């Protein structure tokens, strides 16, 4: 691993910032303290800052030389609504809020890179340091784009990174094409006609209709979707009724759909609606069908991925780079940025959890687990990757 020496030297300072952010987690669009901290650090290192893109977003603008070329590096800043079970010194001081996805580490690694890039300036062009809010369900990336991120600050490509348990510490995992799924929710209400359960012929049973619908939807995955492409359709809730002797008026079905392509998503949504409407009609019921698309699939661009893989291999060596990592059905709002700009999103292994201080909770060191903690050993790895990516891109 060819880590950048000066970054290793000030690693403990960055680690202190990371742990301070961990102790003070803030949820979607409430990242006021975190954004203040990020902005004041950037300014302290001589980097001009723009505030307010996507409400609490922070953009650092680092120019050097005369080239009009520009690159965007992105970190997310928000935490999760979760009660932390760790009791070590930097555990969350905010009840019910926690950095369980390691975004505290993402922010710290990009800060470490910003400091080095500002102090050494071995590049020609502009590095945009994008600190976005609200990755956890709030579409903060989209909010920054809508507030003019790419319109007012033109950049050729954009790059993102996520710490990843399950990969060895410092191991890079990436792939060209679809790497994370689209995330979608559905809320379907079947409207029948309630009656005495002993006289079912006097009503229209929404429960039986709902069950038929749920069964039939699974045939979309097994009969309509190509066997070569993965997709998930999970019904996670069925709500109906209030007593054993009453057929209720209606039944509600909710769940999630995950796909790696928009075509597959179109197919599933269309078939779900058709099956819902026709099943309801077949049994004399009616249906309210609501399908909500949240994050699109995250599709890495081929050329930028090849470029990023080259930088990773140079930094970490071939053995530490898996350029064909297994994709995940998890979702990530960096996908919005990749719809507007070419770029690449990377997993950086967080290890097996042995880095955690004494006082961590009993759970595994998995994302969104109440005993999670970002691995501070990754600070120089992630920061060195950001620096080499920017320096190589803007040579
Ligand atoms: Zn998360
Ligand atoms: Zn995350």
């Amino acid at each position: 691993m060819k880590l950048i020496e000066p970054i290793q030297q000030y690693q403990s300072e960055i680690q202190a910032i990371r742990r301070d952010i961990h102790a003070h987690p803030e949820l979607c669009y409430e990242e006021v303290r975190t954004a203040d901290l990020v902005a004041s650090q950037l300014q302290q290192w001589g980097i001009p800052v723009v505030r307010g893109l996507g409400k609490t977003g922070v953009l650092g603008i680092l120019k050097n030389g005369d080239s009009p070329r520009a690159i965007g590096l992105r970190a997310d800043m928000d935490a999760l609504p979760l009660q932390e079970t760790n009791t070590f010194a930097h555990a969350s001081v905010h009840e019910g809020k926690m950095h369980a996805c390691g975004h505290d580490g993402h922010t710290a690694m990009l800060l470490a890179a910003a400091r080095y890039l500002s102090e050494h300036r071995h590049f020609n062009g502009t590095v945009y340091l994008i600190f976005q809010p609200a990755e956890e369900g709030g579409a903060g990336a989209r909010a920054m784009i809508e507030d003019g991120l790419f319109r007012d600050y033109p950049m050729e490509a954009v790059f993102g990174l996520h710490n990843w348990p399950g990969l060895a510490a410092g191991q890079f995992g990436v792939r060209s094409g679809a790497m994370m799924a689209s995330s979608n929710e559905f809320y379907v209400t079947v409207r029948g006609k309630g009656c005495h359960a002993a006289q079912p012929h006097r009503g229209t049973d929404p429960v039986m209709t709902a069950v038929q619908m749920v069964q039939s939807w699974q045939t979309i995955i097994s009969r309509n979707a190509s066997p070569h492409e993965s997709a998930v359709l999970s019904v996670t809730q069925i709500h109906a009724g209030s007593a054993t002797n009453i057929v209720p008026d209606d039944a509600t079905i909710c769940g999630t759909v995950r796909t790696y392509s928009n075509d597959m998503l179109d197919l599933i949504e269309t078939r779900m609606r058709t099956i819902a409407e026709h099943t309801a009609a077949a049994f004399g019921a009616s249906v309210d069908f609501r399908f909500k698309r949240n994050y699109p699939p995250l599709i890495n661009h081929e050329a930028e991925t090849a470029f990023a893989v080259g930088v990773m291999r140079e930094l970490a060596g071939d053995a530490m780079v898996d350029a064909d990592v297994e994709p995940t059905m998890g979702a990530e709002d960096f996908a919005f940025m990749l719809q507007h700009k070419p770029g690449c999103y990377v997993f950086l292994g967080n290890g097996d959890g042995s880095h955690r201080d004494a006082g961590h909770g009993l759970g595994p060191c998995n994302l969104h687990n109440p005993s999670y903690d970002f691995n501070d050993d990754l600070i120089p790895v992630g920061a060195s990757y950001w620096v080499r990516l920017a320096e190589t891109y803007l040579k």
Side-chain angles (χ1 to χ4, degrees):
M1 191 77 77
K2 296 181 197 161
L3 299 177
I4 295 172
E5 184 80 21
I7 294 178
Q8 290 179 287
Q9 277 161 16
Y10 58 70
Q11 179 179 350
S12 61
E13 290 169 56
I14 301 293
Q15 175 174 310
I17 293 172
R18 200 287 289 181
R19 293 186 174 199
D20 179 66
I21 297 171
H22 188 94
H24 301 89
E26 296 172 303
L27 305 183
C28 287
Y29 297 115
E30 296 172 358
E31 306 90 339
V32 176
R33 183 188 186 276
T34 311
D36 284 348
L37 188 155
V38 166
S40 78
Q41 285 297 341
L42 293 175
Q43 284 161 342
Q44 196 180 309
W45 298 324
I47 302 170
V49 162
V50 174
R51 302 285 299 265
L53 290 170
K55 198 173 174 193
T56 42
V58 181
L59 180 68
I61 304 171
L62 187 50
K63 284 185 193 293
N64 198 55
D66 52 9
S67 168
R69 300 196 63 200
I71 185 178
L73 310 178
R74 171 273 201 177
D76 40 13
M77 302 188 290
D78 59 318
L80 284 157
L82 183 68
Q83 181 62 42
E84 181 159 2
T85 56
N86 299 316
T87 55
F88 43 57
H90 62 283
S92 170
V93 300
H94 297 318
E95 185 93 5
K97 299 178 188 177
M98 179 190 175
H99 269 292
C101 206
H103 299 182
D104 47 343
H106 301 166
T107 300
M109 289 188 291
L110 190 53
L111 282 175
R115 175 171 168 180
Y116 178 89
L117 286 165
S118 180
E119 288 175 355
H120 296 269
R121 297 182 181 255
H122 302 309
F123 63 92
N124 189 9
T126 304
V127 181
Y128 288 109
L129 305 149
I130 305 164
F131 294 86
Q132 77 149 77
E135 192 286 319
E136 298 287 358
R142 186 175 60 198
M144 287 189 85
I145 294 166
E146 286 170 355
D147 281 351
L149 174 65
F150 295 140
R151 182 191 65 222
D152 301 340
Y153 307 96
M155 55 194 89
E156 289 163 52
V158 66
F159 294 85
L161 179 159
H162 206 293
N163 73 114
W164 208 249
L167 286 179
Q171 167 103 38
F172 288 91
V174 64
R175 66 182 297 113
S176 184
M179 188 155 110
M180 298 182 77
S182 71
S183 157
N184 317 277
E185 299 166 87
F186 55 86
Y187 299 89
V188 177
T189 301
V190 180
R191 301 201 188 283
K193 196 170 84 177
C195 60
H196 197 297
Q199 300 169 319
H201 58 294
R202 294 188 186 278
T204 302
D205 184 358
V207 176
M208 187 272 300
T209 308
V211 169
Q212 298 274 350
M213 228 173 255
V214 170
Q215 300 262 33
S216 301
W217 281 340
Q218 290 306 327
T219 66
I220 301 170
I221 306 297
S222 66
R223 302 292 87 181
N224 300 133
S226 163
H228 297 293
E229 200 181 334
S230 303
V232 170
L233 192 172
S234 290
V235 171
T236 55
Q237 302 174 48
I238 301 180
H239 299 288
S242 58
T244 54
N245 61 353
I246 301 171
V247 171
D249 271 330
D250 44 50
T252 304
I253 313 165
C254 312
T256 187
V257 169
R258 306 287 171 122
T259 71
Y260 289 128
S261 73
N262 287 315
D263 287 348
M264 177 66 80
L265 182 54
D266 290 342
L267 170 80
I268 292 177
E269 181 181 344
T270 304
R271 286 291 298 145
M272 281 184 74
R273 183 187 295 276
T274 302
I275 288 171
E277 288 172 353
H278 287 265
T279 304
F283 294 105
S286 63
V287 67
D288 296 336
F289 184 90
R290 194 157 75 83
F291 195 97
K292 188 164 164 272
R293 298 187 179 201
N294 295 332
Y295 292 173
L298 186 144
I299 316 281
N300 275 334
H301 296 243
E302 198 174 331
E304 286 67 23
T305 303
F307 169 78
V309 165
V311 171
M312 283 170 228
R313 289 200 165 127
E314 176 61 26
L315 171 72
D318 289 357
M320 291 298 274
V321 180
D322 180 357
D324 189 26
V325 78
E326 189 174 77
T328 167
M329 282 291 175
E332 158 67 54
D333 81 344
F334 188 70
F336 288 114
M337 294 197 178
L338 291 179
Q339 286 184 327
H340 289 81
K341 294 285 169 187
C344 174
Y345 189 76
V346 177
F347 298 148
L348 177 57
N350 199 53
D352 59 7
S354 55
H355 63 277
R356 289 176 296 180
D357 289 350
H360 67 77
L362 289 175
C365 200
N366 283 338
L367 296 176
H368 293 208
N369 183 284
S371 67
Y372 196 69
D373 195 30
F374 174 79
N375 186 345
D376 285 315
D377 292 344
L378 300 185
I379 290 171
V381 183
S384 296
Y385 167 67
W386 282 140
V387 167
R388 295 306 184 218
L389 198 69
E391 288 178 346
T392 313
Y393 201 84
L394 303 176
K395 228 188 310 224

